[in-house]
């Protein structure tokens, strides 16, 4: 067994290209659970948590986008300046695990694991994030909706490294809300992200933990987009209820050890209504 | 780029250079600290990052040592509860835990002490809500947390120069 700790993206890419079956280790908060429980054996590891390019982020005020390196941690994302630029993602960051988990866990790791319960994923879906990868075949970028292909499945090929994610900086309310058995340190039973684009009059809703992938809710989004007054922060109660019902209907939950499908569907309606009331406080 | 092999790698723990030899693949930092380096302060319980009893500082960041691949921590500064004060000379946080009665069985205490040091480094005078959120990754099954929060507040007050 060997553990490589590259500090540059070139070194990390070369190491992974030379050994495509090596395990990529970011914060370790998912991988080490599997290792500790003997569900996974690691042989060769490439630890990417000290790769300078992956630890960086940049804000482009011209294109109004934010590009966040894959090894940026949730504890960094939960605070300023991310809180002002991408509030839904920052709010989700604050709900990830505990402080210990947020100090280690990364946005790239959330994408690499691609659990439907990953708290970072509904905001990335609602923000219509673009995921950047690099590998032996060069660099490519793809929309989040094409990146996540199933529960714990994604479009990353062997030998490819997730390098960053780009999200727009939008004007308008955003939020993330989830339910679980505790306020802290809990895997989401259901999670909902709301992102508004006040300049385009657009609304995006994305659901986590209630389907094989993060689910968008086109019908609910269309109701809010048609009925909401962004300038006045106003959404009439009947429209709000109709949107929450449409989100409820869009969920595709299953029964498992964490919740029944019926409860998950109910929670989606409650969380959607809650986020919409926060975003549009006047009815 | 550093490379650590399981035959031998070096960790920096509590200001000392410690060699780890003939490790098995996948060993966590918690395992190496306890079983190879004889540092029993960090406790092993859940092994999945839920309980916080294995909390240590890695480059001044509070993490669960059970979720750190030990060989990936080469070159980082690791501080365990043994490294924050010499025996018999407790830190203000440790003393406050004793004074406030924040210790019962003691299993969670090293993790909570590390979490409290980490919190008070970043937030000098945390509110009760901030304390609860910051310590949410450390589970205590004895105290009900009231006296732990009291201990944290005592340290904050004392560091500000106020009376008890």
């Amino acid at each position: 067994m060997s553990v490589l700790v590259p500090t540059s993206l070139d070194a990390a890419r070369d190491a992974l290209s030379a050994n495509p079956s090596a395990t990529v280790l970011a914060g370790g908060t998912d991988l080490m659970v599997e290792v500790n429980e003997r569900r996974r054996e690691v042989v060769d590891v490439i630890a990417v948590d000290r790769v300078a390019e992956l630890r960086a982020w940049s804000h482009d005020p011209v294109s109004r986008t934010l590009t966040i390196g894959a090894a940026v941690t949730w504890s960094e994302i939960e605070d300023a300046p991310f809180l002002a630029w991408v509030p839904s993602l920052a709010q989700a960051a604050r709900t990830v695990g505990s402080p210990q988990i947020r100090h280690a866990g990364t946005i790239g790791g959330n994408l690499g694991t691609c659990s439907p319960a990953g708290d970072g994923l509904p905001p990335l879906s609602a923000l219509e994030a673009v995921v950047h990868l690099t590998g032996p075949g060069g660099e490519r970028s793809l929309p989040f909706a094409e990146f996540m292909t199933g529960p714990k499945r994604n479009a990353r090929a062997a030998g490819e490294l997730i390098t960053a994610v780009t999200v727009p900086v939008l004007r308008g309310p955003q939020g993330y809300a989830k339910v679980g058995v505790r306020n802290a340190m809990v895997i989401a039973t259901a999670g909902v992200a709301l992102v508004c684009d006040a300049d385009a009059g657009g609304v995006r809703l994305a659901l986590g933990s209630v389907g094989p992938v993060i689910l968008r809710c086109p019908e609910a989004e269309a109701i809010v987009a048609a009925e909401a007054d962004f300038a006045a922060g106003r959404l009439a109660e009947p429209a709000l209820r109709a949107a929450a019902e449409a989100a409820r209907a869009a969920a595709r939950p299953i029964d498992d050890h964490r919740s029944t499908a019926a409860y998950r569907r109910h929670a989606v309606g409650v969380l959607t209504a809650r986020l919409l009331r926060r975003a549009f406080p006047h009815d | 780029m550093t490379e650590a092999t399981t035959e031998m790698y070096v960790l920096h723990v509590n200001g000392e250079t410690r060699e780890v030899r003939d490790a098995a693949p996948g060993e966590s930092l918690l395992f190496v600290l306890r079983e190879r380096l004889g540092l029993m302060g960090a406790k092993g319980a859940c092994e999945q990052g839920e309980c916080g009893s294995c909390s240590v500082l890695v480059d001044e960041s509070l993490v669960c040592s059970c979720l750190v691949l030990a060989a990936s921590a080469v070159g980082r500064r690791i501080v365990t509860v043994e490294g924050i004060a010499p025996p018999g000379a407790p830190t203000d946080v440790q003393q406050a835990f004793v004074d406030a009665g924040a210790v019962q069985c003691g299993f969670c205490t090293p993790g909570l002490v590390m979490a409290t040091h980490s919190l008070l480094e970043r937030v000098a005078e945390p509110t009760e809500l901030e304390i609860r959120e910051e310590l949410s990754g450390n589970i205590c099954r004895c105290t009900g947390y009231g006296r732990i929060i009291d201990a944290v507040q005592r340290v904050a007050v004392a560091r500000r120069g106020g009376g008890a």
Side-chain angles (χ1 to χ4, degrees):
Chain A
M1 181 205 184
S2 79
V3 178
L4 296 174
V5 188
T7 53
S8 75
L9 186 55
D10 282 347
R13 181 176 40 222
D14 291 350
L16 191 56
S17 296
N19 186 1
S21 64
T23 301
V24 178
L25 172 68
T29 57
D30 287 324
L31 178 73
M32 286 303 291
V33 175
E34 295 189 357
V35 171
N36 289 343
E37 293 178 354
R38 308 277 187 272
R39 285 188 281 126
R40 179 158 173 163
E41 284 191 18
V42 289
V43 182
D44 294 321
V45 174
I46 301 169
V48 297
D49 60 337
R50 280 179 260 185
V51 174
E53 293 93 331
L54 304 186
R55 290 279 307 123
W57 55 267
S58 62
H59 174 232
D60 182 345
V62 177
S63 65
R64 294 190 59 76
T65 57
L66 184 63
T67 296
I68 307 171
V72 173
T73 64
W74 292 117
S75 67
E76 294 169 291
I77 295 171
E78 73 180 292
D79 282 325
F82 298 96
L83 192 55
W85 287 329
V86 279
S88 58
L89 188 64
Q91 288 175 24
R94 194 172 164 190
T95 76
V96 172
S98 63
Q100 286 90 328
I101 302 300
R102 299 198 283 274
H103 289 149
T106 65
I107 191 167
N110 222 222
L111 285 162
T113 297
C114 246
S115 162
D119 286 305
L121 303 184
L124 291 178
S125 168
L127 288 161
E128 299 183 346
V130 173
V131 181
H132 306 290
L133 300 130
T134 188
E139 296 178 12
R140 64 184 180 125
S141 300
L142 61 172
F144 175 80
E146 290 173 31
F147 177 78
M148 185 173 187
T149 55
K152 299 200 172 179
R153 289 195 191 151
N154 60 47
R156 184 179 81 90
E160 272 190 319
L161 198 60
I162 301 166
T163 56
V165 60
T166 297
V167 290
V169 177
L170 299 169
R171 200 174 61 78
Q174 297 186 12
Y176 176 73
K178 83 186 211 189
V179 289
V181 293
R182 272 183 76 192
N183 260 344
M185 195 65 243
V186 71
I187 295 172
T189 299
V192 180
L194 169 70
V195 169
C196 296
D197 181 351
D199 294 318
V203 175
R204 298 95 167 259
L205 273 164
L207 314 180
S209 291
V210 291
V213 296
I214 307 304
L215 302 173
R216 286 282 297 271
C217 312
E219 199 184 324
E221 293 172 4
I223 292 168
V224 181
E227 302 290 332
D229 180 339
F230 286 94
R234 193 180 300 278
L235 179 63
E237 187 65 18
L240 186 147
R241 287 180 178 278
E245 179 53 37
R248 235 179 70 90
R252 292 159 54 198
I254 56 168
D255 290 317
D256 68 9
H257 61 287
R258 241 176 256 129
S259 172
T260 62
Y263 178 76
R264 284 194 163 101
R265 190 180 293 284
H266 175 74
V268 165
V270 171
L271 293 173
T272 302
R274 184 177 298 167
L275 287 170
L276 287 171
R277 284 197 185 95
R278 284 180 191 162
F280 302 100
H282 309 293
D283 95 27
Chain B
M1 176 157 60
T2 51
E3 176 169 0
T5 66
T6 44
E7 287 83 56
M8 207 282 278
Y9 58 91
V10 174
L11 295 179
H12 296 280
V13 184
N14 298 335
E16 292 180 15
T17 300
R18 303 292 299 267
E19 287 185 0
V20 180
R21 291 186 182 277
D22 300 320
E27 287 182 358
S28 70
L29 179 59
L30 172 65
F31 180 89
V32 169
L33 289 171
R34 291 180 59 87
E35 307 298 332
R36 298 193 180 279
L37 303 182
L39 294 166
M40 298 296 179
K43 300 290 183 274
C46 75
E47 308 257 343
Q48 54 181 342
E50 297 250 359
C51 75
S53 55
C54 67
S55 297
V56 300
L57 296 173
V58 176
D59 281 353
E60 293 168 10
S61 184
L62 185 77
V63 296
C64 292
S65 60
C66 74
L67 298 184
V68 176
L69 182 69
S72 77
V74 168
R76 297 231 193 244
R77 296 182 311 283
I78 299 157
V79 178
T80 71
V81 73
E82 290 92 339
I84 61 172
T91 66
D92 55 354
V93 171
Q94 289 170 313
Q95 189 61 51
F97 269 63
V98 174
D99 295 342
V103 180
Q104 287 189 34
C105 88
F107 190 88
C108 69
T109 308
L112 274 159
V113 165
M114 299 307 284
T116 301
H117 273 286
S118 169
L119 162 62
L120 293 174
E121 283 298 310
R122 286 172 290 120
V123 187
E125 293 184 45
T127 63
E128 185 182 332
L129 188 64
E130 285 173 316
I131 295 170
R132 286 188 180 275
E133 185 170 355
E134 285 287 329
L135 301 186
S136 63
N138 294 79
I139 292 175
C140 172
R141 298 291 77 167
C142 304
T143 64
Y145 302 102
R147 292 178 182 204
I148 292 169
I149 290 160
D150 181 27
V152 178
Q153 289 170 329
R154 286 182 190 217
V155 179
V157 168
R159 286 189 185 180
R160 193 178 61 209

